[in-house]
Each structure stands twice: as structure tokens, then as C-alpha cells.
Amino acid sequence: MIRITRSLLAKPALFIFAGIAITLATTGVTAVSLYQMRLDAMTQARDAANNLALSLEKETEHNLDICQLAMRDVVTSMETPATLQLTPDARHLVAFSAAKNVRELGAIFAADAAGNSTLDSRWIQPPKLNVSERDFFQVQQRQKGAGLYLSKPFMSRLGAGKPSIALSLRLDDANGQFAGIVAGTLRLSYFHHLFEDSILGDHGTLTLLETDGTVVMRQPYHRDDIGRSLAGGHSFSTLVQSDHGTYVDVAVIDHVERLYSFRRIGNYPLVVVVGLATDDIFAEWRKRAFAIGIVTVILDALTIMLCLMFSAQLRRRLAMERQLKTLAWFDALTGLPNRAQLNKEMLRVLTESGRNSSQSAVLFIDLDRFKRVNDTQGHDVGDEVLSETARRLRDCVRGEDVIGRLGGDEFLAILQNCDVHRAAHVAGRILQTLYQPISVSTKADTSITLSASIGVSLYPHDGQDADTLLRNADMAMYKAKSAGRNQVHFYAPVYERQAKEQLELEIALQRALRGGGLSVAYQPKVDVTGALQGVEALVRWNDAKLGVVSPERFIAIAEESGLITELDSWVLDEACRQLAEWRAEGIDVPGISVNVCAADFKRPDYPAFIAHTLRVHGLQPADLILEMTEGVMFDESADDIRASLDAIRALGIALSIDDFGTGYSSLSYLHRIPVKELKIDKSFVRGIGTDAMSESLAQTLINIGNVLNLSVIAEGVETRAQRDFLQNYGCLMYQGYLFSPPLSPRDFVLWVEAQRQQMPAG
Ligand code: C2E
Ligand code: MG
Ligand code: MG
């Protein structure tokens, strides 16, 4: 649980995502609720409109029924012959006994076949009035059995110009001929009052329509609306097709969108329509939605803000923790590992060296007279000098090595896979690099030159643990100081001597290389018949003071000091020159092999250099073989080397694997690089005849070469027995003292001539 919390707290961005997720969720829930509320508002409005429509329908139907009954009474009395004999008073009484209930609605009257009024519920003597022009008269006159007819609205002449409608029934005489009508007029103000009391909201409407679309009454009341036709509206067909229903539409009259609920009034050709404006329906909802929206936005903003603040705070805390960690393990001024971190690094390097049984070196580096810089130039300048020193130290070592600051002007270098030669070399380079003037950026024209004293201890010889190695390197550094500063001292006297020799050798080698002190010896490569098949160029150093130095020794020094590429270039040029010279003298030498190392292939211009050298001496790419050991393929900059190898292959120059079998167990590189020849190392050849293991290894190596279709040559062949064994197992080329040691150019010519005389002419 604690672990989960801690890992969550290590991810500040997570809180921002959480904030966004919470916000999205609450917004989503709010939106769904608001939508639901809106649906509810609509449902409630529909129920209210339906209820209102129903109650108005019932009320109106009831009143129309009363009116119709009263009219039917009048018809009955009119069609009873006895009634005609009665006095007007009595007739009035008989005819309108039921009509008193109708008074509120309007009046009931009768007219004869010519349309003249004969009876009127309001007066015993009916007023002189002719209705023959009216639709309610004409419809009944025209059509027998038309039943109850409902007129279009009109302005009542007797009712002081008030809008009315009329219901009419037909009167027939004894012969069934048209005898007039009975009509009931309904004052529309009745509906007006009825509708007025209904609660409809600000933009609601109530409409009483005839089924042909004629407006009988509309609330809100405008006199002009009465008699208008709504038959053109798109929802009109819905209205007339069923008894009741609801729909949403934009009104023809005022273009307001409303929810409409309609009901047909009984069997009358009338429809009551209740319209509630959607604006009114949603007014409350809108207010609430707005409030809820504002609250949600505020809450969301607060949530996001809190999350942002929390995550920012967390980020600051993590940054601070990181910084503290850096402070704990790294030096603030130079950014180098500090003493504590160096201890950890030393432990790591020593464990690794112990495991691989390799050597490593500890260099204690102390600037000479640094205190004087601080005292005379100030601490700012002192800091600058230390930073620059750190930068330069880093440039002096390989990626796997460690540079750190112990404090003050003391630095430490821990070098992995490092023997005394390399340690001496790196220390020498550090002295040289640090001795370059440092120009101070804060003080123009000021430059400071400082030397350093370096003490070296070597693992495992000078100590098995970090403390001992550090102490011994420190002591060696003090020796360097007391011996006059600006120098390197080794803790162990034996290394001290070796390192001195190493330095002397390096200087002497450089002198020899540049002063013509090196030469090249040539060793023939022969086939089974002893005929010359090639020659290997081997560098020689015979120093006036040091005597003959073995290539094994000075090649290692050249590699460590970086002189090797210069040396190899010189040998390549010299060997090519010599081959060209022999050929010019008429001596037939098939080609020349030259030894190269990893450093050569790392030169970007190496392929071009080889091509140039061949051209200068008039040789062909086929005249040259480059001998490299397997180690080259496993160098740390294998990619650069591959690029060079590809370019060299493209030139048509052959590669030979030297000392084959002594390097790496993986043979996969043989597929990847363009190898032409394998050289079986002399250590295997030496054991032939005495050591069964060497013999079987030699056999195996020959087999590999033959299977891969490479030429196989054995080096270090010293006896006939070795040669015969090798020939038996398929190795058909040889190099070694049995045929010839490496020779000077002049001796090589003599060897070739002697050989020619021995060989049968062919
Ligand atoms: P390598 O390329 O394997 O050369 C063969 C070495 O075996 C040579 O030693 C040669 O003198 C020696 N040798 C030849 N025949 C016999 C024999 O029958 N018996 C014995 N015991 N040894 C024999 P050398 O000249 O001392 O060279 C040592 C190594 O130095 C060479 O081994 C090569 O790796 C390197 N080397 C020589 N010249 C150059 C050069 O110009 N450049 C580079 N990078 N390395 C070179
Ligand atoms: Mg060789
Ligand atoms: Mg060899």
C-alpha cells in the first residue's frame, strides 16, 4: 500500500490526468441530469396541456349539449300543430321552457321558411329580423337531414356586435317541406371567459377551432383572429385526423414554437387546442440548468486548479529531492562525483576487476600551488580554474573510466582495465593537458598556468580495497610533490621504474619513428613446393642506446601512446615502396602483407590513404593484404571499423586474420567481414608433434578455413615435421624459420635468388 502511494507520488502528471478525468466525469453526469430534467419538464408540460384540453372539452361539450337539447325542445314544440294555436305568451313559455339554462351562452330563436324570425327566447315579440342570408339558415334550407350545423363566427346584430356562432336545426312541415330553422346563438365571450381563467404561461394559447380550420376563439384574444383559417398550418392534418393528441409546432399566427395538445369536442365539429410555448416550458429548466452549469464549471475549475497546484508542488518536491540526491553524490561546482560517490564507484570497479582478474589504476591528482591562485586572484577565479580542470580531466580518459573531485584541488581518476603502461600514459597526458594556460573569463587578459602532481596506485598489487588504494595513491602523490611537482609517481618502486622506462621508451620511439630509426624486415610466405607466394612486412627497431627493442614491446607502447597509426602508415608506405623497387629490379614478388590494428581503421581517411599509397608506388589493390587480429572486430568502436572495412573491401584489398584461434570464440564475424586468409597462430604450430591438444586445435582451425573456402597459412613453422603435419591436414601455405626468418631487403633478394636456383626450372 505504502509502495503504491509512493510510486503514485512520483508521478506528478498523474494528478493532472486525474483532475481532468474527475472534471470530465462530473461534467458528463451533469449534462445527463440536465437532459433528463429537460425531458421531465416536457413530460410535465404535456400532462398539464392534456389535462387542460380535457377539462375544456368536457365543459364545452356539456354546454353545447344543453344548448342542443333546448333547441330540440323548440323544434318539437314548433312541429306540434297545437302549439301554433297558442297565444304568443303561452307559445313562448312552451317553446323555451328548457332554454333558461342557455341564457348564459346566448339565445335561441326560430325563423320561418323565408328566414324571418318567429320566436326568440329573449323576447315574447321577436324582433323583425331576417336570417335568410346566414350560412346556418341556408345550409338547413338546402339540405334535408343536415342535422346540427355549426356556423362560422359572425358579429351578432342583436348582441351589440359581439362575436358569436350559431347552431341550427331544420324545421319541416307536415309534408316534410322546409319550414324554417331553430337556431341557438353562442356568444364567444362565453368561451373567452372560460379560457381566460386557464393558466397558460406567458406565451400559451387556447384555440377553439372548427374542424375546417376556422378559428372560433383564441386566447390571448384578438378580435381579428376570429374567423381566420388555420387550415394551411403543417400540423393541421394531425388535428383533424384523430380525437386527441399532442405535437410541437411553430404557430401560423405568431410564429412561436409551442407544444400543442388538442381534443375534439364530443361529436361537434369543434376542436379545442391548448398551446404551451416551449420557451415557457423550459424557462424554469433553463434557470436551473444555468445555475447548475455555473456551479459545475466552478467546481471543475477548482478541481483542475487543485490538481495543478498539487502536481506542481509534487514536481517541486521531486526536483528538490533529486537536487538533494545530486548534492549528496556530486560536487556542486564541477558536477563530478564527490568523495562519497567515488567510494561507490571504486567498489564497483574493484569488484569488476576482481571478477575479470584485470588490473585497474587509481590516480590521485593534486594541483600545484592552487592556494596561491585563490589568495591572489580570488575565489571566483579559483572556482573557474577548478571547473576547467574538471573538464580537461574528463577529456583525458575513456568513457568507462571515472573522474571525481575529492574536495579542494584534489581530483581522482579510476581507470578500468589499466596496467602500469596505460596508467603512466594517461597520467602523462593529464600532466600535459593541465599545464596548458587557462584563460579566466571574469578577468580579461588573465591566464593561469598550473601544474599538477599525480600519485598512482594499482589494483591488485598496491591494495585490495578502496581505502588502501586511495591512501597509497595519496602517498605517491606526496612523493611527486616533494620531488619537485609537475610529475607522476607510482606507489610501488617496481612500477615507478617500469613507468619511467615506459616514458623513456615512448620518447625514444617517437624519435626513431620521425628520425628514420625504424626499418622493415620481410618474411617469405611459401607454398608446399617452397615457392614464394608472398611476403610479410615486420617493423624493426634497433636503437643506438637501447639496442634491439622487440616489436611486441614497442608496438604496445605505440598503441598506448597513439603513435601506432603514424607507425603503421610509415610501414605501409615503406613496404609498398620496397615491393615496387623489387619489381623494378626484376624480382618477382607476388604481393605484400602488412600488419594493421584497430586504431588504423578508426581513422576516417584510412581507406583513402591506402588507395593513395598504392597509387603513388604504382601498385594494384591485389598486391596488398592487410593482417588484422580478431580483436579488431570486437573493439568498442566496431561500427566505425566496419565502415572502414567495407570501404577497403570496395577497393579490392584482401584481409587476413592474424593469430587466428587465439582471440575470440565467436566466429560469426567471418561472415560479416570480407576475409580472404586465415593465419594459424604460431602457438598451435609449436605444439605439433609434442602436444595433442595443439594438434587437434590446429586441425580444427585448418578445417574452418577450408570449409569457409579461405586460404589457410600457418605461421611459426620451424620443423619439417610441423610442415608435413600441416600439409596432411590441408594447410598448404607456410611462414617460419624453416623457410626463412624475417630478412632485410638485401637478404630477402639473396633468399629469392638462392631459392630460384634450388627449385627445378618450371
Ligand atoms: P605477427 O604478425 O603474428 O608476426 C609474426 C611474428 O612471428 C613475427 O614476430 C615474426 O618474426 C615471428 N616469427 C616468424 N617466423 C617464426 C618462427 O618460425 N618461429 C617463431 N617463434 N617466430 C616466428 P615479430 O616480428 O616479433 O612481430 C611481433 C608482432 O608484432 C607481429 O606478429 C605483429 O602482430 C606485430 N607487428 C609487427 N610489425 C608490425 C607493424 O608494422 N604494425 C603493427 N601494427 N604490428 C606489427
Ligand atoms: Mg602478422
Ligand atoms: Mg601472427
Side-chain angles (χ1 to χ4, degrees), residues 536-538 594-595 627 658-659 679 715 735:
E536 178 175 7
L538 293 158
V594 173
N595 292 286
E627 290 190 7
D658 206 348
D659 304 344
K679 279 189 101 165
E715 64 180 19
Q735 186 181 339

Side-chain angles (χ1 to χ4, degrees), residues 477-494:
M477 189 273 291
Y478 270 101
K479 275 200 286 174
K481 284 247 190 239
S482 50
R485 301 192 173 84
N486 195 20
Q487 47 191 284
V488 182
H489 269 252
F490 280 75
Y491 171 72
V494 42

Side-chain angles (χ1 to χ4, degrees), residues 311-330:
S311 118
Q313 209 177 1
L314 204 61
R315 198 163 284 158
R316 265 199 300 277
R317 221 187 74 186
L318 287 173
M320 220 148 75
E321 274 174 16
R322 260 198 302 276
Q323 213 174 348
L324 280 176
K325 226 181 255 174
T326 310
L327 282 178
W329 299 111
F330 291 88

Side-chain angles (χ1 to χ4, degrees), residues 131-142:
V131 295
S132 60
E133 299 296 312
R134 298 303 182 101
D135 58 343
F136 56 86
F137 179 85
Q138 290 177 352
V139 167
Q140 300 294 3
Q141 182 185 37
R142 266 203 311 274

